[in-house]
């Protein structure tokens, strides 16, 4: 029997799903924090994230199925054992994170954060006019599963949606256009709302720099749920302080966690949450990760091609078969 090690958090119902994939799989459940070298040496498939440094002990590994969409730390040369493949959880987080993004955007556009503060201080005060999503242009940088789910919702609110991704591919019906990063500067100039869902790779490091913020429209709104390292935090602060940006919503920061003394906490029209838009905060995401893992375990047992395989050169998904 093939040894499978599940190191992510799972519910009993999830174990039922995984345990019934194939009688040829011997599945062990162990939290990643309790792993030892001996636990890892016989595993042919690992489901869930673990410290990449531990992979040196995985001499028989054929597949590492991450519970993240991001693959940072796992695509570095020499981290995975020779012959092992990497798959991620692309497709699991789009619903939860896009809903979270909508909530953050509505909060800063409709001044809900101000009204919440007023409520706590028992102040009955009209905070004035607010903009509408209807008739705006939304730029989504990182137009994969999460970005497209957000774009679909923005389109439903009446916004024109533009996407930027590594490779253009097929344009969704709800999008006005999809470009590569070559069009980044020009697209920023068109957008009333800019949302980034970028992973934390070298090529995305601080692409939202001084020039990027200067290229944005005056009064634009900015959302980041990807990785904090995609944004130059000092330049972001300058754009907020100068009034260039009308509102900012951040679920990720650089540094992260954001130090208590950092001035971002005190800047106006900024909503900050502690990297909670993804994870298992919505059970639908947790369930979808298990469904992806179960399908790949079935593919493994049947000698079939895996889905959500990651290109080790780019860190992005290269196949997504169902």
């Amino acid at each position: 029997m093939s040894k499978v090690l599940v190191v992510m958090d799972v519910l009993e119902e999830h174990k039922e799903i995984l345990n019934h994939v194939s009688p040829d799989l011997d599945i062990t459940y162990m939290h990643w924090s309790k792993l030892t070298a001996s636990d890892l040496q016989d595993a042919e498939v690992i489901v869930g994230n673990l410290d990449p440094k531990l992979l040196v002990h995985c001499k028989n590994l054929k597949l590492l199925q991450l519970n993240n969409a991001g693959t940072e730390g796992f695509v570095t040369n020499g981290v995975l054992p020779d012959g092992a493949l990497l798959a991620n959880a692309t497709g699991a987080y789009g619903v939860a994170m896009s809903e979270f993004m909508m909530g953050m955007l509505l909060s800063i556009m409709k001044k809900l954060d101000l009204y919440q503060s007023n409520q706590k201080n028992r102040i009955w005060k009209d905070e004035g006019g607010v903009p509408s999503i209807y008739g705006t242009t939304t730029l989504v940088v990182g137009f994969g599963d999460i970005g497209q789910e957000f774009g679909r919702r923005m389109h439903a609110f009446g916004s024109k949606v533009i996407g930027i991704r590594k490779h253009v591919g097929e344009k969704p019906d709800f999008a006005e256009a999809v470009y590569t990063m070559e069009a980044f500067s020009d697209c920023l100039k068109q957008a009333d709302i800019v949302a980034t869902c970028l992973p934390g790779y070298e090529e995305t490091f601080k692409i939202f720099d001084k020039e990027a913020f200067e290229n944005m429209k005056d009064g634009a709104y900015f959302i980041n749920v990807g990785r904090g390292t995609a944004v130059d935090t000092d330049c972001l602060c300058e754009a907020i302080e100068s009034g260039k940006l009308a509102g900012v919503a951040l679920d990720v920061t650089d540094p992260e966690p954001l130090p208590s003394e950092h001035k971002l906490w005190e800047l106006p029209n900024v909503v900050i949450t502690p990297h909670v838009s993804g994870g298992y905060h919505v059970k639908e995401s947790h369930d979808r990760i298990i469904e992806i893992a179960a399908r790949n375990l079935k593919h493994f047992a049947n000698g079939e091609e895996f889905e959500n395989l990651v290109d080790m050169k780019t860190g992005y998904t290269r196949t997504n078969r169902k």
Side-chain angles (χ1 to χ4, degrees), residues 150-165:
F150 177 66
R152 183 176 288 107
R153 285 156 178 75
M154 292 298 290
H155 173 75
F157 270 71
S159 184
K160 182 175 75 173
V161 176
I162 300 171
I164 289 182
R165 59 183 305 171

Side-chain angles (χ1 to χ4, degrees), residues 180-251:
T180 63
M181 282 299 297
E182 293 177 355
F184 181 55
S185 296
D186 290 337
C187 290
L188 287 174
K189 297 172 184 177
Q190 304 175 44
D192 304 287
I193 298 157
V194 178
T196 172
C197 309
L198 289 170
Y201 301 134
E202 183 177 350
E203 64 188 23
T204 65
F205 185 70
K206 293 187 178 182
I207 66 165
F208 285 94
D209 55 12
K210 184 178 180 65
E211 181 181 357
F213 288 116
E214 288 177 347
N215 278 328
M216 290 186 194
K217 284 186 176 181
D218 291 343
Y221 291 86
F222 180 70
I223 308 170
N224 186 11
V225 297
R227 289 293 183 267
T229 53
V231 177
D232 186 313
T233 304
D234 290 338
C235 295
L236 173 62
C237 289
E238 290 176 8
I240 298 168
E241 291 171 319
S242 69
K244 177 72 175 183
L245 299 177
V248 172
L250 305 172
D251 185 47

Side-chain angles (χ1 to χ4, degrees), residues 61-299:
L61 190 65
K62 303 293 191 301
L63 174 70
L64 173 58
Q65 170 66 63
L66 300 177
N67 54 263
N68 274 3
T71 59
E72 301 96 309
F74 295 97
V75 293
T76 304
N77 286 339
V79 170
L80 277 184
D82 290 342
L85 298 174
L86 181 68
N88 68 2
T90 291
Y93 294 103
V95 169
M97 293 184 67
S98 62
E99 289 180 354
F100 197 92
M101 294 167 74
M102 292 300 305
M104 295 179 84
L105 178 62
L106 288 169
S107 178
I108 56 177
M109 289 187 74
K110 304 302 181 182
K111 302 181 180 179
L112 300 183
D113 56 325
L114 297 183
Y115 287 115
Q116 183 181 38
S117 177
N118 290 347
Q119 178 182 339
K120 288 182 178 180
N121 292 294
R122 304 188 180 196
I123 299 172
W124 186 278
K125 178 186 177 184
D126 187 332
E127 293 290 351
V130 295
S132 174
I133 293 175
Y134 184 84
T136 61
T137 296
T138 298
L139 172 64
V140 184
V141 186
F143 205 52
D145 172 55
I146 297 164
Q148 288 191 31
E149 287 289 350
F150 177 66
R152 183 176 288 107
R153 285 156 178 75
M154 292 298 290
H155 173 75
F157 270 71
S159 184
K160 182 175 75 173
V161 176
I162 300 171
I164 289 182
R165 59 183 305 171
K166 189 173 183 64
H167 304 291
V168 173
E170 186 176 350
K171 182 182 75 66
D173 292 340
F174 62 82
E176 182 78 12
V178 179
Y179 302 101
T180 63
M181 282 299 297
E182 293 177 355
F184 181 55
S185 296
D186 290 337
C187 290
L188 287 174
K189 297 172 184 177
Q190 304 175 44
D192 304 287
I193 298 157
V194 178
T196 172
C197 309
L198 289 170
Y201 301 134
E202 183 177 350
E203 64 188 23
T204 65
F205 185 70
K206 293 187 178 182
I207 66 165
F208 285 94
D209 55 12
K210 184 178 180 65
E211 181 181 357
F213 288 116
E214 288 177 347
N215 278 328
M216 290 186 194
K217 284 186 176 181
D218 291 343
Y221 291 86
F222 180 70
I223 308 170
N224 186 11
V225 297
R227 289 293 183 267
T229 53
V231 177
D232 186 313
T233 304
D234 290 338
C235 295
L236 173 62
C237 289
E238 290 176 8
I240 298 168
E241 291 171 319
S242 69
K244 177 72 175 183
L245 299 177
V248 172
L250 305 172
D251 185 47
V252 290
T253 60
D254 182 31
E256 186 176 306
L258 190 65
S260 60
E261 68 276 10
H262 202 287
K263 66 179 178 180
L264 252 180
W265 290 111
E266 302 296 332
L267 293 181
N269 304 322
V270 177
V271 172
I272 300 172
T273 52
H275 206 148
V276 293
S277 60
Y280 306 144
H281 293 85
V282 174
K283 186 174 180 295
E284 174 72 16
S285 298
H286 204 175
D287 292 344
R288 288 189 179 197
I289 296 167
I290 296 299
E291 290 168 4
I292 293 169
R295 291 196 297 270
N296 267 344
L297 286 178
K298 184 177 181 180
H299 297 324

